[in-house]
Amino acid sequence: MKTNFGMTEKKKSDKMMDLHNHTFWSDGENSVAEIMEHAKECGIGVIGICDHFLAGETKALNENDLDTYVAELNKFGNIYAPAVCLAKGLEVPIFAFNQMWDDTLIKKVNKLDYILIEDYNNVRDDMDVSYILNNIRKIQCRKGLAHTAPTENAVAFMNKNNLFWEMNIGEAYDFYRYVDEYEKEDVKDILKKLNCNGIKVSIGTDSHTLMDYPMGRLSQANKIVGQYLKRLDVIK
Ligand SMILES: [Zn+2]
């Protein structure tokens, strides 16, 4: 690995992570058990299940499902530890925080290890996000922005609210370019900006089926993030 990247090279983290997987609980095509078994076979040490929650158009969990969901994730987490650590997550649209989140709901969500907040790029500059932020601040687990373009605004938002950034390597987005072209000046600038703002980074395949799981991309992304960026440690 070249050392002229302009960022400090670190010791590579040894556990591969994929913090973005969907199951039958929302719009995924596999069970939690299948995803865990696959992770074990592939040597993925940290796997995150983050099914959709309160997502209008997509098949998603709602509040009444949360306890059973968490119980099932705990069960499989125990079966596969320590070979595969299961991080319990949810993917929540940012505008879902624009409604009432009472203490019961907050308590349930706080049993998770992390949440991914999606649709930040749909927040316009003139929108008042104070209500959204009020709710987000009540959540104590790790919080990050899913598949979000790291614009100036997004970086400032993450920095201010202690959110991590997801390097989403799914086909639907072009963030994998950062892995492929991390030595190009414009990509270097983006990655440096994340580092300078102290923003931690997760990696996610956004996988909805194991049929076309991007193992090569995942492994490459883990290498780059582990070596050059502030990698998120989701398991306490
Ligand atoms: Zn997703």
Side-chain angles (χ1 to χ4, degrees):
M1 198 67 67
K2 287 183 188 169
T3 49
N4 63 348
F5 189 54
M7 294 192 266
T8 326
E9 192 167 357
K10 299 176 300 177
K11 194 178 156 281
K12 202 182 86 186
S13 287
D14 44 1
K15 279 195 173 177
M16 214 189 308
M17 79 156 74
D18 173 8
L19 286 194
H20 199 145
N21 291 279
H22 295 280
T23 74
F24 288 146
W25 280 100
S26 65
D27 59 351
E29 290 172 15
N30 293 95
S31 63
V32 176
E34 284 167 339
I35 288 178
M36 295 306 285
E37 195 56 36
H38 176 262
K40 190 179 166 190
E41 279 165 19
C42 296
I44 303 166
V46 183
I47 200 92
I49 308 277
C50 63
D51 276 299
H52 294 286
F53 182 58
L54 302 179
E57 290 138 37
T58 327
K59 190 185 168 213
L61 294 154
N62 61 46
E63 184 172 352
N64 295 330
D65 304 317
L66 280 185
D67 287 340
T68 330
Y69 175 69
V70 168
E72 178 166 305
L73 298 187
N74 278 335
K75 179 180 132 191
F76 284 101
N78 288 333
I79 293 173
Y80 283 88
V84 185
C85 298
L86 193 163
K88 305 186 289 281
L90 284 176
E91 183 171 21
V92 193
I94 193 160
F95 297 111
F97 293 101
N98 229 344
Q99 60 200 45
M100 174 71 180
W101 280 52
D102 62 18
D103 291 349
T104 319
L105 175 55
I106 298 281
K107 237 188 215 166
K108 286 182 183 182
V109 172
N110 278 339
K111 289 191 181 142
L112 297 157
D113 296 306
Y114 71 106
I115 60 164
L116 281 177
I117 300 166
E118 62 174 338
D119 300 338
Y120 174 82
N121 290 132
N122 295 340
V123 174
R124 293 191 324 264
D125 285 352
D126 61 346
M127 282 178 180
D128 178 6
V129 290
S130 54
Y131 197 83
I132 289 174
L133 277 177
N134 248 339
N135 278 323
I136 290 178
R137 286 193 188 119
K138 290 183 207 158
I139 295 166
Q140 283 154 15
C141 61
R142 310 222 184 243
K143 296 163 275 191
L145 294 186
H147 38 71
T148 298
T151 58
E152 291 290 335
N153 274 354
V155 169
F157 187 80
M158 289 187 280
N159 178 314
K160 195 167 165 223
N161 298 294
N162 196 19
L163 304 175
F164 64 85
W165 179 74
E166 175 192 55
M167 182 179 281
N168 187 300
I169 57 165
E171 298 265 317
Y173 307 97
D174 63 356
F175 301 116
Y176 185 68
R177 186 176 94 80
Y178 298 170
V179 173
D180 252 1
E181 302 177 2
Y182 70 94
E183 286 185 309
K184 286 198 177 166
E185 287 305 319
D186 64 322
V187 176
K188 256 196 234 180
D189 285 347
I190 293 168
L191 300 183
K192 267 191 223 169
K193 199 168 62 181
L194 292 170
N195 272 353
C196 293
N197 283 276
I199 292 165
K200 297 207 168 146
V201 178
S202 72
I203 302 149
T205 57
D206 214 339
S207 167
H208 289 75
T209 167
L210 292 171
M211 294 282 280
D212 52 5
Y213 192 83
M215 199 55 221
R217 287 161 75 107
L218 182 69
S219 157
Q220 269 309 107
N222 270 271
K223 248 184 232 165
I224 298 301
V225 171
Q227 244 156 343
Y228 294 116
L229 299 170
K230 297 180 195 301
R231 189 182 191 269
L232 175 78
D233 279 317
V234 74
I235 306 285
K236 289 156 216 158

